[in-house]
Amino acid sequence: MGDYYELLGVSRTATADEIKKAYRQRAREFHPDANPNDAAAAEQFKKIAMAYQVLSDDEQRARYDRYGEAGVRGNGGGAGPTAEDLFGGGLGDIFETFFGGGGSPFGGGRQRGPSGPPRGQDMEVVADISFEQSVFGDQIDVGLKLPVACSDCGGSGAGEGTSPVTCSDCGGSGQIQRVRQSLLGQMVTATPCSRCGGLGQVITTPCATCRGEGRVTVDKQYQVDVPAGVDSGSTLRLTGRGAAGPRGGRAGDLYVHLRVAPHDLFVREDHDLVTEVPISIAQASLGTVVELETLDGTEHLVVPPGTQPGREFVLRQRGVPHLRGRGRGDLRARIRVDVPQKLSEKEIELLTAYAEGRGEVVGHAKEGLFTRIKSAFT
């Protein structure tokens, strides 16, 4: 386990006050509240507690000074109590003695007095919106079933003409305190009262509508403001719109998860919108002007001669608004050159003449190059 004096960081001639002061400092350093999820720190805290238990007792300290750890465990006088034995299974209880009644100095102290009605649960719902609603924002209706305060009893849970009464078991404090003795003196622990559930009050005549719970489940409809620029997976938090707490407890929050429908023309890429513009070979070669549908209306897009497939034309500020900031993304119009699958005789004649003029080898299904290649594999 290690030398007890070294564990506390004191000399072998330290006084009782010095040992006590050193223990306080070391206990604060290694207390589980200060080192959450740290098994090594928790084990060190137990060793420090054991060292203090021995060195703070004159008789055990004398045996330890003479025989070492064997003097206080096993051969020298029987196995000493563990840290859990010393503190009744609650290592944090020692702070009740050393640091006052506020519990641990690390923010995990016990509550005093009734804790009050518990808060209601948080609720979740999925809302489907259109692509346009996600870009420009909108106000939508969201419906769900959730507990709300009972209107007949006002949320108290008590029947008509009655009211909650003070719990006789805890006297209205909501807690049951127990005192136990340890080597360090009296230790006081407090647990929620089982009769009133920590509320400090009990219902003698329950409300017939809510059966004493103070809330009933109903179909609820909310209007939700969807900001411009949201995307699938965005979550809106509505404070206090969740389930009402039992017996008058405050309501939880409502989380609205948005699901955006796909669009026929546009694909979202971050804050940009991407759309494909189909044109013919002739239009790509000679240039053209096409009508381009945007979410803001129709635009005229000039496609210059010689435009290659995949080229993008950018329309500034025609994309998705920035959710937390100014401005919008862009609309990127991507050219797609459509090759006709069926040609008339006249079109074949014209294209063949065009290809021959450029010295290109072409053929058609009757007797051209394609027919000769096909014959080679038959």
Side-chain angles (χ1 to χ4, degrees):
M1 177 172 172
D3 184 79
Y4 288 172
Y5 290 98
E6 291 182 2
L7 284 170
L8 296 181
V10 297
S11 68
R12 306 188 79 83
T13 59
T15 64
D17 286 341
E18 289 173 336
I19 290 174
K20 185 175 182 178
K21 181 179 180 181
Y23 172 73
R24 288 184 178 183
Q25 294 175 342
R26 300 287 281 173
R28 284 181 183 272
E29 180 181 355
F30 290 99
H31 191 274
D33 284 351
N35 303 273
N37 302 319
D38 189 336
E43 183 62 28
Q44 187 71 359
F45 181 80
K46 294 178 183 180
K47 293 179 180 179
I48 292 168
M50 179 59 67
Y52 177 76
Q53 176 239 329
V54 172
L55 299 183
S56 62
D57 181 272
D58 291 339
E59 183 179 347
Q60 291 195 71
R61 181 178 180 181
R63 291 203 306 268
Y64 179 78
D65 289 343
R66 187 172 183 178
Y67 302 108
E69 192 171 350
V72 292
R73 286 180 178 270
N75 296 335
T82 65
E84 284 81 0
D85 296 331
L86 179 62
F87 304 123
L91 297 177
D93 289 346
I94 193 168
F95 288 96
E96 298 283 347
T97 299
F98 282 143
F99 306 118
S104 165
F106 306 107
R110 295 166 178 78
Q111 293 181 337
R112 301 302 180 194
S115 58
R119 176 181 179 272
Q121 306 98 318
D122 291 335
M123 304 293 288
E124 295 180 291
V125 66
V126 176
D128 291 303
I129 61 175
S130 68
F131 195 89
E132 288 82 358
Q133 286 176 314
S134 74
V135 172
F136 298 113
D138 200 0
Q139 189 175 75
I140 63 173
D141 292 326
V142 172
L144 72 162
K145 287 183 178 291
L146 80 169
V148 299
C150 176
S151 58
D152 288 351
C153 65
S156 70
E160 185 177 359
T162 68
S163 59
V165 298
T166 301
C167 176
S168 58
D169 287 6
C170 64
S173 69
Q175 296 178 333
I176 301 296
Q177 293 188 345
R178 294 180 174 84
V179 180
R180 63 176 181 270
Q181 292 295 130
S182 75
L183 295 177
L184 300 177
Q186 288 187 341
M187 298 270 179
V188 180
T189 60
T191 57
C193 175
S194 59
R195 183 166 186 258
C196 66
L199 300 179
Q201 294 180 325
V202 294
I203 303 296
T204 56
T205 306
C207 170
T209 302
C210 64
R211 299 181 181 179
E213 189 177 358
R215 57 182 186 173
V216 293
T217 300
V218 300
D219 291 316
K220 192 71 176 178
Q221 198 86 0
Y222 288 121
Q223 281 194 333
V224 179
D225 290 323
V226 177
V230 297
D231 199 359
S232 278
S234 297
T235 298
L236 307 177
R237 177 185 178 186
L238 280 66
T239 304
R241 300 288 185 90
R247 303 272 295 278
R250 66 187 182 91
D253 299 332
L254 174 61
Y255 292 88
V256 181
H257 305 293
L258 300 178
R259 185 165 54 194
V260 180
H263 198 277
D264 293 337
L265 298 178
F266 306 104
V267 174
R268 178 170 176 170
E269 293 184 3
D270 196 12
H271 290 93
D272 288 350
L273 295 177
V274 179
T275 185
E276 282 194 339
V277 181
I279 60 175
S280 68
I281 295 176
Q283 289 174 319
S285 302
L286 303 176
T288 186
V289 177
V290 298
E291 288 189 348
L292 178 65
E293 295 296 330
T294 77
L295 293 180
D296 299 276
T298 302
E299 301 272 356
H300 287 88
L301 177 65
V302 177
V303 180
T307 295
Q308 300 299 307
R311 178 177 175 178
E312 287 187 349
F313 296 89
V314 178
L315 282 70
R316 303 295 181 188
Q317 298 292 311
R318 293 292 191 275
V320 180
H322 293 276
L323 190 59
R324 295 179 181 88
R326 297 181 178 179
R328 297 170 60 178
D330 301 326
L331 172 61
R332 289 152 42 200
R334 186 175 297 159
I335 296 298
R336 185 187 77 215
V337 177
D338 286 344
V339 178
Q341 295 182 341
K342 293 183 178 181
L343 296 173
S344 66
E345 291 294 333
K346 181 64 175 179
E347 290 171 333
I348 293 174
E349 183 181 333
L350 292 173
L351 284 175
T352 301
Y354 167 78
E356 290 175 352
R358 295 177 59 87
E360 298 173 350
V361 178
V362 296
H364 55 79
K366 289 184 178 180
E367 54 184 0
L369 175 65
F370 298 149
T371 302
R372 295 196 296 272
I373 294 176
K374 182 178 179 182
S375 299
F377 290 94
T378 60

